[in-house]
Amino acid sequence: MPAKAILTKVEDGSQWFGVDYNMNVYRGCSHGCIYCDSRSDCYRNDDFDRVKVKANALALLRENRRSRRRSPGVIATGAMSDPYNPLERELKLTRGALELIASAHFGVAIDTKGDLVARDADVLRQIGRNFPAIVKITITTADDGLCAKIEPDAPATRSRFAALRCLADAGVFCGVLMMPLLPFVNDTPENILAILRTAADAGARFVYPVFGLSMRDGQREYLYERLDGISPGLCARYAKEFGGRYRCPSPRMRELSAIFAAECGRFGLLHRMPDVVAAYRKGYGGRQSTLFRGETDDRAG
Protein backbone atom coordinates (compact mmCIF):
# COMPACT_ATOMS: atom_id res chain seq x y z
CA MET A 1 0.00 0.00 0.00
CA PRO A 2 1.23 3.57 -0.65
CA ALA A 3 2.72 5.55 2.22
CA LYS A 4 3.77 9.20 2.40
CA ALA A 5 5.57 8.96 5.74
CA ILE A 6 6.61 6.30 8.21
CA LEU A 7 7.21 8.31 11.40
CA THR A 8 4.61 10.36 13.23
CA LYS A 9 5.28 12.55 16.25
CA VAL A 10 3.60 11.49 19.48
CA GLU A 11 2.25 14.52 21.30
CA ASP A 12 2.21 13.04 24.80
CA GLY A 13 4.34 9.92 24.99
CA SER A 14 4.19 9.97 28.78
CA GLN A 15 0.87 8.16 28.50
CA TRP A 16 2.50 5.13 26.88
CA PHE A 17 6.04 4.23 27.93
CA GLY A 18 7.55 7.63 27.20
CA VAL A 19 7.76 7.38 23.41
CA ASP A 20 8.44 10.24 21.01
CA TYR A 21 7.47 8.81 17.60
CA ASN A 22 5.21 6.10 16.24
CA MET A 23 6.14 3.84 13.34
CA ASN A 24 4.27 1.11 11.46
CA VAL A 25 5.88 -0.58 8.47
CA TYR A 26 2.81 -2.81 8.10
CA ARG A 27 -0.94 -2.15 8.26
CA GLY A 28 -3.47 -4.63 9.57
CA CYS A 29 -2.86 -7.74 11.65
CA SER A 30 -3.33 -11.48 11.15
CA HIS A 31 -3.45 -12.57 14.81
CA GLY A 32 -7.25 -12.61 14.89
CA CYS A 33 -7.54 -11.47 18.52
CA ILE A 34 -11.25 -11.17 19.27
CA TYR A 35 -10.86 -8.05 21.43
CA CYS A 36 -8.55 -5.92 19.24
CA ASP A 37 -9.40 -2.21 19.42
CA SER A 38 -7.74 -1.59 16.04
CA ARG A 39 -10.82 -3.11 14.39
CA SER A 40 -12.87 -0.11 15.53
CA ASP A 41 -14.67 1.84 12.82
CA CYS A 42 -12.93 5.07 13.82
CA TYR A 43 -9.61 3.84 12.42
CA ARG A 44 -11.06 3.13 8.96
CA ASN A 45 -8.85 0.09 8.60
CA ASP A 46 -10.85 -1.99 6.15
CA ASP A 47 -9.94 -5.66 5.75
CA PHE A 48 -8.03 -5.46 9.02
CA ASP A 49 -7.11 -9.16 9.11
CA ARG A 50 -5.12 -8.87 5.91
CA VAL A 51 -1.61 -7.54 6.48
CA LYS A 52 -0.48 -4.89 4.01
CA VAL A 53 3.10 -3.76 3.44
CA LYS A 54 3.80 -0.03 3.31
CA ALA A 55 5.56 0.80 0.06
CA ASN A 56 9.15 2.04 0.42
CA ALA A 57 8.87 1.79 4.20
CA LEU A 58 12.61 1.61 4.85
CA ALA A 59 13.42 4.33 2.32
CA LEU A 60 10.90 6.60 4.02
CA LEU A 61 12.35 5.82 7.44
CA ARG A 62 15.85 6.54 6.17
CA GLU A 63 14.63 9.90 4.86
CA ASN A 64 12.72 10.71 8.05
CA ARG A 65 15.61 9.98 10.38
CA ARG A 66 17.90 12.34 8.41
CA SER A 67 15.44 15.21 8.64
CA ARG A 68 16.60 18.09 10.82
CA ARG A 69 13.07 18.24 12.17
CA ARG A 70 13.48 14.75 13.69
CA SER A 71 15.36 15.11 16.96
CA PRO A 72 16.50 11.82 18.51
CA GLY A 73 13.94 10.03 20.63
CA VAL A 74 12.22 6.71 21.18
CA ILE A 75 10.34 5.22 18.23
CA ALA A 76 7.36 3.03 19.11
CA THR A 77 6.05 0.28 16.86
CA GLY A 78 3.16 -2.15 17.25
CA ALA A 79 0.31 0.21 18.06
CA MET A 80 -1.95 -0.56 15.09
CA SER A 81 -0.29 -3.60 13.57
CA ASP A 82 2.06 -6.23 14.94
CA PRO A 83 5.60 -5.66 13.61
CA TYR A 84 6.23 -9.42 13.88
CA ASN A 85 3.42 -10.75 11.73
CA PRO A 86 4.12 -13.85 9.56
CA LEU A 87 5.26 -11.72 6.57
CA GLU A 88 8.13 -10.37 8.65
CA ARG A 89 9.89 -13.74 8.68
CA GLU A 90 10.60 -13.37 4.95
CA LEU A 91 10.45 -9.61 4.32
CA LYS A 92 12.45 -8.51 7.40
CA LEU A 93 11.09 -4.97 7.22
CA THR A 94 10.93 -4.63 11.00
CA ARG A 95 14.49 -5.85 11.33
CA GLY A 96 15.59 -3.43 8.62
CA ALA A 97 13.86 -0.60 10.46
CA LEU A 98 15.60 -1.56 13.71
CA GLU A 99 18.98 -1.53 11.97
CA LEU A 100 18.28 1.99 10.71
CA ILE A 101 17.18 3.05 14.18
CA ALA A 102 20.38 1.62 15.65
CA SER A 103 22.59 3.48 13.18
CA ALA A 104 20.79 6.77 13.88
CA HIS A 105 21.05 6.42 17.68
CA PHE A 106 17.30 6.53 18.20
CA GLY A 107 15.59 4.41 20.83
CA VAL A 108 12.84 1.88 20.29
CA ALA A 109 9.76 0.59 22.10
CA ILE A 110 8.16 -2.55 20.65
CA ASP A 111 4.68 -3.94 21.32
CA THR A 112 4.14 -7.44 19.95
CA LYS A 113 2.54 -10.86 20.33
CA GLY A 114 5.04 -12.26 17.83
CA ASP A 115 7.66 -14.70 19.10
CA LEU A 116 9.79 -13.74 16.07
CA VAL A 117 10.97 -10.72 18.06
CA ALA A 118 13.56 -13.04 19.63
CA ARG A 119 15.31 -13.19 16.25
CA ASP A 120 16.23 -9.52 16.60
CA ALA A 121 17.75 -9.72 20.07
CA ASP A 122 21.13 -8.78 18.61
CA VAL A 123 20.05 -5.48 17.04
CA LEU A 124 17.85 -4.64 20.04
CA ARG A 125 20.88 -5.13 22.28
CA GLN A 126 22.86 -2.87 19.94
CA ILE A 127 20.22 -0.12 20.17
CA GLY A 128 20.26 -0.43 23.94
CA ARG A 129 23.96 0.42 24.04
CA ASN A 130 23.23 3.91 22.72
CA PHE A 131 19.63 4.71 23.55
CA PRO A 132 16.65 3.29 25.47
CA ALA A 133 15.21 0.04 24.12
CA ILE A 134 12.22 -1.83 25.52
CA VAL A 135 10.22 -4.82 24.30
CA LYS A 136 6.68 -5.43 25.58
CA ILE A 137 5.22 -8.83 24.77
CA THR A 138 1.45 -9.05 25.20
CA ILE A 139 0.38 -12.08 27.24
CA THR A 140 -3.24 -12.21 28.40
CA THR A 141 -3.54 -15.79 29.59
CA ALA A 142 -1.22 -18.48 30.90
CA ASP A 143 -3.46 -21.13 29.32
CA ASP A 144 -2.59 -22.06 25.73
CA GLY A 145 -6.10 -23.45 25.24
CA LEU A 146 -7.77 -20.17 26.15
CA CYS A 147 -5.14 -18.31 24.14
CA ALA A 148 -6.24 -20.25 21.04
CA LYS A 149 -9.81 -19.05 21.58
CA ILE A 150 -9.21 -15.36 22.18
CA GLU A 151 -6.04 -14.92 20.06
CA PRO A 152 -6.55 -17.72 17.53
CA ASP A 153 -3.79 -16.95 15.03
CA ALA A 154 -1.17 -15.48 17.35
CA PRO A 155 1.76 -17.51 18.67
CA ALA A 156 0.89 -19.63 21.70
CA THR A 157 1.50 -18.23 25.16
CA ARG A 158 4.38 -20.66 25.76
CA SER A 159 6.10 -19.40 22.59
CA ARG A 160 5.83 -15.79 23.74
CA PHE A 161 7.32 -16.65 27.12
CA ALA A 162 10.16 -18.42 25.31
CA ALA A 163 10.80 -15.26 23.27
CA LEU A 164 10.80 -13.23 26.47
CA ARG A 165 13.41 -15.57 27.94
CA CYS A 166 15.59 -15.20 24.85
CA LEU A 167 15.44 -11.39 24.98
CA ALA A 168 16.16 -11.28 28.70
CA ASP A 169 19.14 -13.60 28.29
CA ALA A 170 20.48 -11.26 25.60
CA GLY A 171 20.28 -8.30 27.99
CA VAL A 172 17.27 -6.61 26.35
CA PHE A 173 14.97 -4.72 28.73
CA CYS A 174 11.69 -6.59 28.32
CA GLY A 175 8.46 -7.48 30.03
CA VAL A 176 4.78 -8.28 29.65
CA LEU A 177 1.70 -6.30 28.68
CA MET A 178 -1.00 -8.17 30.59
CA MET A 179 -3.90 -6.70 28.67
CA PRO A 180 -6.72 -6.90 28.21
CA LEU A 181 -8.00 -9.00 31.06
CA LEU A 182 -11.45 -9.79 29.70
CA PRO A 183 -14.23 -9.72 32.29
CA PHE A 184 -15.54 -13.20 33.10
CA VAL A 185 -12.85 -14.80 30.92
CA ASN A 186 -9.25 -14.31 32.06
CA ASP A 187 -9.72 -11.83 34.93
CA THR A 188 -8.98 -14.38 37.64
CA PRO A 189 -6.39 -14.45 40.43
CA GLU A 190 -5.18 -17.81 39.15
CA ASN A 191 -4.45 -16.44 35.69
CA ILE A 192 -2.72 -13.34 37.03
CA LEU A 193 -0.52 -15.33 39.41
CA ALA A 194 0.44 -17.79 36.67
CA ILE A 195 1.44 -14.98 34.29
CA LEU A 196 3.46 -13.17 36.95
CA ARG A 197 5.25 -16.31 38.07
CA THR A 198 6.14 -17.39 34.52
CA ALA A 199 7.14 -13.86 33.51
CA ALA A 200 9.50 -13.59 36.47
CA ASP A 201 10.99 -17.00 35.68
CA ALA A 202 11.55 -15.86 32.07
CA GLY A 203 13.51 -12.78 33.17
CA ALA A 204 10.84 -10.10 32.69
CA ARG A 205 11.60 -6.73 34.26
CA PHE A 206 7.98 -5.59 34.39
CA VAL A 207 4.34 -6.55 33.91
CA TYR A 208 1.90 -3.79 32.99
CA PRO A 209 -1.83 -4.58 33.26
CA VAL A 210 -5.26 -3.44 32.19
CA PHE A 211 -8.05 -4.98 34.24
CA GLY A 212 -10.78 -4.85 31.62
CA LEU A 213 -11.06 -3.72 28.02
CA SER A 214 -12.38 -0.98 25.78
CA MET A 215 -15.15 -1.43 23.22
CA ARG A 216 -16.05 0.80 20.28
CA ASP A 217 -18.31 0.53 17.25
CA GLY A 218 -17.12 -2.13 14.86
CA GLN A 219 -14.86 -3.86 17.34
CA ARG A 220 -17.71 -4.42 19.83
CA GLU A 221 -19.80 -6.28 17.28
CA TYR A 222 -16.83 -8.44 16.26
CA LEU A 223 -16.18 -9.36 19.89
CA TYR A 224 -19.83 -10.11 20.70
CA GLU A 225 -20.10 -12.52 17.80
CA ARG A 226 -17.30 -14.61 19.29
CA LEU A 227 -17.91 -14.49 23.03
CA ASP A 228 -20.29 -17.45 23.16
CA GLY A 229 -17.58 -19.56 21.55
CA ILE A 230 -15.64 -19.11 24.78
CA SER A 231 -18.57 -19.70 27.13
CA PRO A 232 -22.30 -20.01 26.26
CA GLY A 233 -24.26 -16.96 27.39
CA LEU A 234 -21.18 -14.74 27.66
CA CYS A 235 -22.36 -12.35 24.95
CA ALA A 236 -25.64 -11.68 26.80
CA ARG A 237 -23.70 -11.17 30.02
CA TYR A 238 -21.46 -8.57 28.37
CA ALA A 239 -24.45 -6.79 26.84
CA LYS A 240 -26.15 -6.60 30.23
CA GLU A 241 -23.01 -5.55 32.13
CA PHE A 242 -21.53 -3.03 29.67
CA GLY A 243 -24.10 -2.14 27.01
CA GLY A 244 -22.57 0.41 24.66
CA ARG A 245 -19.93 1.69 27.08
CA TYR A 246 -16.38 2.39 25.93
CA ARG A 247 -14.52 1.57 29.15
CA CYS A 248 -15.43 -1.87 30.45
CA PRO A 249 -13.48 -2.61 33.64
CA SER A 250 -13.46 -5.99 35.27
CA PRO A 251 -16.00 -6.12 38.11
CA ARG A 252 -13.13 -7.64 40.12
CA MET A 253 -10.68 -4.85 39.35
CA ARG A 254 -10.11 -3.71 42.94
CA GLU A 255 -9.50 -7.24 44.20
CA LEU A 256 -7.28 -8.15 41.26
CA SER A 257 -5.27 -4.93 41.47
CA ALA A 258 -4.39 -5.65 45.08
CA ILE A 259 -3.36 -9.22 44.34
CA PHE A 260 -1.37 -8.08 41.31
CA ALA A 261 0.55 -5.35 43.16
CA ALA A 262 1.40 -7.64 46.06
CA GLU A 263 2.67 -10.41 43.81
CA CYS A 264 4.69 -8.01 41.66
CA GLY A 265 6.42 -6.94 44.86
CA ARG A 266 7.11 -10.55 45.76
CA PHE A 267 8.55 -11.36 42.34
CA GLY A 268 10.46 -8.07 41.99
CA LEU A 269 8.51 -6.96 38.92
CA LEU A 270 7.92 -3.30 38.08
CA HIS A 271 4.29 -2.47 37.29
CA ARG A 272 3.81 1.31 37.40
CA MET A 273 4.39 3.30 34.23
CA PRO A 274 6.77 5.90 35.77
CA ASP A 275 8.91 3.14 37.30
CA VAL A 276 9.13 1.16 34.07
CA VAL A 277 10.07 4.24 32.03
CA ALA A 278 12.66 5.34 34.58
CA ALA A 279 14.21 1.87 34.58
CA TYR A 280 14.53 1.40 30.83
CA ARG A 281 15.90 4.92 30.22
CA LYS A 282 18.30 4.81 33.17
CA GLY A 283 21.90 5.67 32.38
CA TYR A 284 21.36 7.40 29.03
CA GLY A 285 21.82 10.90 30.41
CA GLY A 286 21.89 13.83 27.99
CA ARG A 287 21.70 11.63 24.90
CA GLN A 288 17.95 11.27 25.22
CA SER A 289 15.07 13.67 24.95
CA THR A 290 12.67 14.10 27.82
CA LEU A 291 10.63 10.91 27.70
CA PHE A 292 8.37 11.08 30.69
CA ARG A 293 6.91 13.93 32.65
CA GLY A 294 3.84 12.34 34.20
CA GLU A 295 3.81 11.16 37.78
CA THR A 296 0.56 9.25 38.02
CA ASP A 297 -1.08 6.39 36.19
CA ASP A 298 -4.45 4.78 36.83
CA ARG A 299 -4.50 1.84 34.40
CA ALA A 300 -3.67 -0.66 37.11
CA GLY A 301 -6.50 0.56 39.29
Side-chain angles (χ1 to χ4, degrees):
M1 61 174 292
K4 294 181 180 179
I6 208 71
L7 284 185
T8 57
K9 185 75 172 115
V10 175
E11 294 302 323
D12 186 6
S14 67
Q15 298 300 311
W16 190 250
F17 292 92
V19 302
D20 297 286
Y21 301 99
N22 192 55
M23 173 189 75
N24 284 302
V25 296
Y26 298 99
R27 184 171 174 84
C29 186
S30 59
H31 290 333
C33 303
I34 66 172
Y35 51 74
C36 184
D37 179 70
S38 296
R39 296 181 185 281
S40 301
D41 292 343
C42 61
Y43 297 120
R44 300 179 181 178
N45 195 348
D46 297 331
D47 197 15
F48 176 75
D49 294 285
R50 183 183 182 188
V51 177
K52 279 81 72 176
V53 179
K54 291 192 176 180
N56 302 317
L58 297 187
L60 285 168
L61 179 60
R62 191 177 292 109
E63 179 183 335
N64 284 174
R65 75 187 178 116
R66 289 173 177 168
S67 171
R68 293 183 179 180
R69 294 175 297 173
R70 302 289 186 185
S71 57
V74 173
I75 298 174
T77 187
M80 293 293 293
S81 64
D82 198 306
Y84 290 98
N85 62 75
L87 291 178
E88 171 61 20
R89 191 173 301 278
E90 177 182 354
L91 298 180
K92 299 182 179 178
L93 291 181
T94 296
R95 182 173 178 87
L98 292 178
E99 290 170 344
L100 288 172
I101 289 168
S103 66
H105 289 186
F106 277 64
V108 70
I110 295 174
D111 292 9
T112 186
K113 290 188 180 81
D115 54 355
L116 186 59
V117 65
R119 178 201 64 188
D120 294 339
D122 59 335
V123 68
L124 288 165
R125 183 174 60 243
Q126 179 185 353
I127 294 171
R129 294 193 185 108
N130 298 290
F131 221 82
I134 182 173
V135 177
K136 298 156 276 173
I137 298 181
T138 299
I139 297 175
T140 62
T141 173
D143 182 347
D144 277 344
L146 181 57
C147 174
K149 292 181 178 180
I150 64 177
E151 300 156 352
D153 297 313
T157 294
R158 65 180 181 277
S159 297
R160 293 180 229 172
F161 275 126
L164 187 69
R165 175 80 271 173
C166 180
L167 292 170
D169 287 348
V172 177
F173 191 100
C174 55
V176 170
L177 296 178
M178 193 176 68
M179 61 178 72
L181 290 178
L182 302 174
F184 321 122
V185 178
N186 57 345
D187 62 335
T188 66
E190 294 78 14
N191 183 49
I192 290 172
L193 293 176
I195 291 174
L196 292 178
R197 180 176 59 252
T198 311
D201 288 345
R205 299 287 303 277
F206 65 92
V207 176
Y208 189 72
V210 168
F211 300 103
L213 80 161
S214 61
M215 291 194 289
R216 291 191 251 216
D217 291 346
Q219 173 248 355
R220 180 185 296 105
E221 291 77 9
Y222 187 91
L223 172 66
Y224 278 15
E225 288 176 3
R226 286 153 181 82
L227 285 175
D228 285 348
I230 300 172
S231 177
L234 191 56
C235 179
R237 191 174 185 183
Y238 262 61
K240 180 179 179 180
E241 181 78 22
F242 303 117
R245 290 162 53 187
Y246 169 62
R247 297 189 182 277
C248 307
S250 166
R252 308 178 69 178
M253 184 172 68
R254 187 177 297 275
E255 169 200 358
L256 297 176
S257 296
I259 293 171
F260 171 81
E263 291 302 304
C264 280
R266 187 165 74 88
F267 288 118
L269 293 165
L270 302 173
H271 63 94
R272 295 183 65 254
M273 183 72 75
D275 298 333
V276 176
V277 174
Y280 95 88
R281 64 183 279 199
K282 184 178 180 180
Y284 293 93
R287 287 180 292 170
Q288 60 185 308
S289 59
T290 300
L291 301 180
F292 189 80
R293 292 187 175 89
E295 297 181 350
T296 62
D297 182 74
D298 61 0
R299 285 182 182 244

